[in-house]
Amino acid sequence: MLKKIRVTDAVGKPLAHDITEIRPGEFKGPAFRKGHTVCDEDICHLQKLGKNHLYLIDLDEDEIHEDQAAAILAQGLAGEGVIWHDDPKEGKICLYAERDGLLNVDKAGLAAFNMVDEVMCAALHSYTRVTRGRQVAATRAVPLVMQKAPVERAAAIASRNGGILKVLPLISRRAGIVITGNEVFSGLITDKFTPILESKLADLGSVVSGISFAPDDADLIQQAVETHLKNGCDLILLTGGMSVDPDDVTRKGIHRAGADEMHYGAAALPGAMFMVAYIGKIPVVGVPACGLHHRTTVLDLILPRLLTGEHIGKKELAFLGHGGLCMDCPECVYPHCPFGKGM
């Protein structure tokens, strides 16, 4: 229950909520925090903020204050790798990455949460790389006072499957690289793929354990893959031989090396001829030639997810389609662009 009183009669009374002040271009935030006891010196400031009346709160048993509600919601939303502090400002609680990693958002769960009346949560895009301490989301109850039931319902939705928001660590892998193609193998052209892949892997905390070259020969590609596996590599990347030409036999070599699951084709450009396969639990990635000519491709969308241990299959490659069209801007600003953000 809310009781309205004149601001001049509020001296000696505690504020029931934060009082927001906005100075365009300078400041937006609480001028007075919840619980502050109003004194004579505050009256002029409050009136300048347009507060001619304030409210006293006397909660019924089935009601809850916005600050308490925000804490309950944050507790439900925060999964592994996500932290929050019970210090709401203007009824809002922010959630932060507890570690470096990849933000994983249960998008269906988030939508179901936001369908509950009078609660909300806004988050960064799923699969955003974050560093420890970065804000990943914020939540609040919309009204100052609301019924407990919808808050509890929203919190129950948020806590399913360990929380809607998670920051998953990137697993450091030992990668084996196979550069395929007759031209590179015979020395007619210089290999330019290796430094690109080494840089991408290093940026994600993994290392290249071995590099091998193979012509367009399925048996020799098979042998190169098997050698990397015997040497302890737990991630294999192969370049070239991913198109539809008859002599592109890279996939055949991967299959002969023991791949028992293979997904060829991704709903993203550049990178439609991308491939993910598995030999046991070890991911094998086929990188199409576009990786030589574009700074950002489907590889940049999928590789971090593989390094969290996520299993990438047909569904994951199909869902790339929404937001999977790179605009090939003259100056690439990825990841600060729409590419891959529809997943």
Side-chain angles (χ1 to χ4, degrees):
M1 298 292 292
L2 298 175
K3 180 182 177 182
K4 186 177 181 180
I5 62 172
R6 292 185 301 173
V7 70
T8 51
D9 295 331
V11 174
K13 302 284 194 304
L15 291 175
H17 58 90
D18 291 352
I19 303 294
T20 301
E21 180 173 7
I22 301 175
R23 299 193 298 270
E26 296 181 20
F27 174 79
K28 178 189 180 298
F32 300 95
R33 297 297 303 271
K34 176 196 172 190
H36 171 79
T37 300
V38 179
C39 58
D40 289 323
E41 291 78 10
D42 298 330
I43 301 301
C44 182
H45 193 176
L46 287 164
Q47 289 175 331
K48 286 181 179 180
L49 295 176
K51 300 300 181 183
N52 294 315
H53 294 86
L54 295 176
Y55 294 88
L56 301 179
I57 296 180
D58 183 15
L59 295 175
D60 290 338
E61 286 188 6
D62 61 348
E63 291 180 323
I64 191 170
H65 186 276
E66 62 174 354
D67 288 352
Q68 295 171 291
I72 293 171
L73 299 173
Q75 180 68 39
L77 289 161
E80 61 172 301
V82 175
I83 58 173
W84 59 281
H85 307 290
D86 194 359
D87 182 26
K89 293 180 174 61
E90 302 172 275
K92 177 182 70 177
I93 287 181
C94 297
L95 297 100
Y96 302 91
E98 188 178 24
R99 58 195 176 196
D100 296 353
L102 199 68
L103 176 64
N104 186 289
V105 180
D106 176 356
K107 295 181 287 296
L110 181 60
F113 175 94
N114 283 324
M115 285 294 291
V116 178
D117 289 340
E118 300 183 336
V119 307
M120 63 76 62
C121 174
L124 298 178
H125 284 103
S126 195
Y127 308 121
T128 298
R129 280 185 68 192
V130 294
T131 54
R132 181 180 179 182
R134 181 175 176 181
Q135 182 181 345
V136 297
T139 186
R140 65 169 301 157
V142 178
L144 176 61
V145 175
M146 63 182 295
Q147 297 292 305
K148 288 182 180 178
V151 175
E152 293 169 349
R153 184 165 67 253
I157 292 170
S159 61
R160 292 173 187 166
N161 301 317
I164 284 173
L165 307 168
K166 299 174 183 176
V167 173
L168 305 177
L170 298 175
I171 302 165
S172 179
R173 292 188 181 269
R174 298 181 62 210
I177 295 176
V178 181
I179 307 295
T180 74
N182 293 329
E183 299 89 345
V184 177
F185 184 76
S186 62
L188 291 176
I189 63 174
T190 302
D191 166 40
K192 295 183 180 179
F193 240 130
T194 296
I196 294 172
L197 296 180
E198 286 179 322
S199 176
K200 290 183 185 294
L201 287 163
D203 182 56
L204 294 168
S206 289
V207 297
V208 175
S209 179
I211 302 166
S212 57
F213 297 85
D216 294 315
D217 182 296
D219 291 332
L220 294 179
I221 292 171
Q222 172 191 349
Q223 292 174 21
V225 172
E226 291 175 342
T227 297
H228 286 308
L229 294 174
K230 289 176 183 177
N231 290 337
C233 293
D234 52 6
L235 171 67
I236 310 293
L237 296 96
L238 297 98
T239 69
M242 288 292 128
S243 73
V244 296
D245 293 339
D247 59 351
D248 285 332
V249 294
T250 299
R251 285 179 289 140
K252 185 180 294 185
I254 294 169
H255 180 73
R256 290 181 181 179
D260 50 10
E261 178 183 351
M262 185 178 293
H263 305 283
Y264 176 56
L269 289 170
M273 293 177 180
F274 184 80
M275 183 218 68
V276 176
Y278 290 88
I279 299 176
K281 294 184 178 180
I282 296 177
V284 180
V285 178
V287 185
C290 62
L292 283 173
H293 310 293
H294 298 269
R295 173 182 161 183
T296 305
T297 71
V298 66
L299 177 65
D300 299 278
L301 305 181
I302 294 299
L303 187 55
R305 295 170 62 178
L306 286 171
L307 294 179
T308 66
E310 181 181 355
H311 188 95
I312 300 296
K314 178 63 177 178
K315 181 182 72 173
E316 288 74 23
L317 295 175
F319 270 80
L320 293 174
H322 183 210
L325 178 62
C326 174
M327 299 304 293
D328 202 18
C329 301
E331 181 179 353
C332 180
V333 295
Y334 180 82
H336 306 293
C337 74
F339 184 54
K341 297 300 194 298
M343 295 181 287

